[in-house]
Amino acid sequence: MKPNELSLRYGMNPHQVPASVAPVAGEGLPFRVLNGRVGYINLLDALKGWQICREMAEATGLPAACVLKHTNPVGAAVGLPLSREAQIVFGVQAPEISDVAAAYVRARACDPVASYGDFTAVSETVDVTTARLIKQVVSDGIVAPAYEPEALRLLREKKGGNYLIMEMDPEFEPPSLESADLFGIRLTQHRNSARINSTLLERAVTRRVTIDEEVMRDLIIATIVVKYCQSNAVCIARDGQTLGIGVGQQSRIQCTRIACDKAEQWWLRWHPYVQTLKFRAALKQYQRANALEGLLRWSEATDRERERALTAFEGSPVPLTSIQCEDWMNQLSNLSLSSDGFIPFRDNIDRAVRAGVGYVLQPGGSARDDEVIAACNEYGIWMAFSGLRLFYH
């Protein structure tokens, strides 16, 4: 190995060996591996997750967390307090929840099924409360700027002592140019250093022109997330956290549908009836998440998924009816949606409004901008053109 070069377990797949990582400028890597052995995809997740968390923390002044799978964020959030109801819905078991831990819980709760085997990124020092919560779930690794000694000890016990723990240099800034080698060809570009802040929200194009600070925060969070999602990308957020992220589809409406479906699934977990359900003892967190999803997606579930859902609860739970779901969905509102590229057709707005979206941020520039604006005005929702495309490939 060359100086400052780190050997990886393998590349994207086990047969892709050897694999390694080295700094571009040759001045040393901006991270340390404190435990475990880093893999190629682990590193992609860690570097992307760190950028998301750092930008969210800088933009909001709050601790931030992000969980990723296969280099796409599953959920992201800032450290706003968790109500008692939220703790129950998110399945939190902790006597005290720090701001850092709250950010982590919110991020992972965006999609608890997809979070299985995630990679976690945190913008601040990982404390004991956060470490204890991470220890309860199936996770592949974590990156953060620092760890409390006891938190580090707890995390080192995960995965039989092989849990990947990375410490990122918070002062590191990458070179302005970045490159990728593909099929014997090197592509070079200026890295996407665009700042996501309130100035992107100034060009409202609808009759509704004002928004409050909480909505501004949520739109900024959603836009930072889509900046690092595989395009096409649509993100829905509320209360300082993402609720649904649709990524990597060939059409934007597919991403919008995925993001809306996930946001609606998130909201169903808050239904009063769902909160009365009691899981059987000894079920692990991922088993609870899978069982609840099966119950909430009853009409789409297979017989095996339905059996697994029913046997996970005490008593005999009855799935929510379509009318109950519709009535509950009608109470979901004030969601913020950000799109990494222009919205080409009003069908995206039609679907978003059904999921409770009231605020939209997009670059603008479609040949049908007028139709999309008219749709927003028809529904009485706010939309602004940022003028900033954020494709990521």
Side-chain angles (χ1 to χ4, degrees), residues 178-246:
E178 62 184 11
S179 62
D181 292 352
L182 298 171
F183 201 60
I185 297 171
R186 176 163 296 175
L187 292 84
T188 301
Q189 66 174 354
H190 191 284
R191 65 181 295 270
N192 190 353
S193 57
R195 307 286 290 183
I196 309 302
N197 53 42
S198 60
T199 61
L200 298 180
L201 313 177
E202 293 175 349
R203 189 185 165 200
V205 294
T206 49
R207 286 196 291 267
R208 187 175 178 183
V209 296
T210 60
I211 55 175
D212 59 31
E213 291 184 1
E214 288 75 18
V215 171
M216 292 176 62
R217 174 202 61 207
D218 294 342
L219 286 168
I220 288 170
I221 288 171
T223 305
I224 290 172
V225 169
V226 296
K227 178 182 174 182
Y228 292 99
C229 286
Q230 182 77 16
S231 299
N232 291 314
V234 169
C235 180
I236 294 174
R238 193 181 78 170
D239 298 333
Q241 67 184 90
T242 61
L243 306 190
I245 306 171

Side-chain angles (χ1 to χ4, degrees), residues 9-311:
R9 287 182 296 164
Y10 47 78
M12 290 190 183
N13 297 287
H15 66 272
Q16 292 178 263
V17 290
S20 63
V21 57
V24 174
E27 297 179 357
L29 294 169
F31 63 85
R32 291 195 302 153
V33 178
L34 304 182
N35 196 71
R37 189 178 178 193
V38 66
Y40 191 101
I41 297 176
N42 295 148
L43 192 55
L44 294 178
D45 285 338
L47 296 179
K48 183 180 287 187
W50 170 252
Q51 292 177 83
I52 293 172
C53 289
R54 183 176 72 163
E55 291 189 30
M56 285 173 56
E58 290 176 350
T60 65
L62 296 167
C66 179
V67 296
L68 302 97
K69 285 285 291 292
H70 301 292
T71 74
N72 276 312
V74 173
V78 294
L80 298 175
L82 286 172
S83 66
R84 180 58 184 162
E85 184 182 15
Q87 293 178 42
I88 294 171
V89 172
F90 298 159
V92 176
Q93 299 177 1
E96 295 183 6
I97 300 177
S98 64
D99 291 344
V100 175
Y104 168 72
V105 169
R106 288 177 177 276
R108 208 169 197 279
C110 175
D111 189 339
V113 172
S115 294
Y116 179 88
D118 69 305
F119 198 96
T120 298
V122 180
S123 68
E124 315 297 324
T125 298
V126 176
D127 57 18
V128 173
T129 303
T130 308
R132 284 177 177 156
L133 291 168
I134 294 172
K135 195 174 179 183
Q136 297 172 14
V137 301
V138 177
S139 173
D140 282 351
I142 183 171
V143 62
Y147 300 83
E148 292 181 355
E150 179 63 11
L152 185 58
R153 184 192 69 79
L154 288 169
L155 292 175
R156 278 177 167 155
E157 294 175 352
K158 279 183 69 67
K159 297 185 70 172
N162 294 317
Y163 187 65
L164 177 58
I165 306 172
M166 298 174 61
E167 183 182 73
M168 191 72 188
D169 177 4
E171 304 300 322
F172 173 73
E173 292 294 339
S176 60
L177 294 180
E178 62 184 11
S179 62
D181 292 352
L182 298 171
F183 201 60
I185 297 171
R186 176 163 296 175
L187 292 84
T188 301
Q189 66 174 354
H190 191 284
R191 65 181 295 270
N192 190 353
S193 57
R195 307 286 290 183
I196 309 302
N197 53 42
S198 60
T199 61
L200 298 180
L201 313 177
E202 293 175 349
R203 189 185 165 200
V205 294
T206 49
R207 286 196 291 267
R208 187 175 178 183
V209 296
T210 60
I211 55 175
D212 59 31
E213 291 184 1
E214 288 75 18
V215 171
M216 292 176 62
R217 174 202 61 207
D218 294 342
L219 286 168
I220 288 170
I221 288 171
T223 305
I224 290 172
V225 169
V226 296
K227 178 182 174 182
Y228 292 99
C229 286
Q230 182 77 16
S231 299
N232 291 314
V234 169
C235 180
I236 294 174
R238 193 181 78 170
D239 298 333
Q241 67 184 90
T242 61
L243 306 190
I245 306 171
V247 303
Q249 301 302 305
Q250 292 87 345
S251 73
R252 190 155 305 279
I253 184 58
Q254 291 173 322
C255 287
T256 300
R257 289 169 184 156
I258 291 171
C260 290
D261 287 348
K262 287 178 177 286
E264 290 169 344
Q265 182 78 358
W266 179 91
W267 180 235
L268 279 177
R269 285 156 46 208
W270 291 77
H271 193 285
Y273 170 71
V274 174
Q275 294 186 49
T276 67
L277 300 176
K278 303 295 182 184
F279 287 102
R280 294 188 183 277
L283 281 182
K284 296 181 178 179
Q285 207 168 75
Y286 76 89
Q287 293 172 316
R288 295 184 178 197
N290 288 334
L292 184 55
E293 183 181 56
L295 189 66
L296 296 180
R297 292 188 178 274
W298 188 261
S299 62
E300 306 167 19
T302 65
D303 290 343
R304 183 177 180 85
E305 288 171 333
R306 291 179 177 182
E307 180 182 0
R308 183 175 62 186
L310 293 176
T311 57

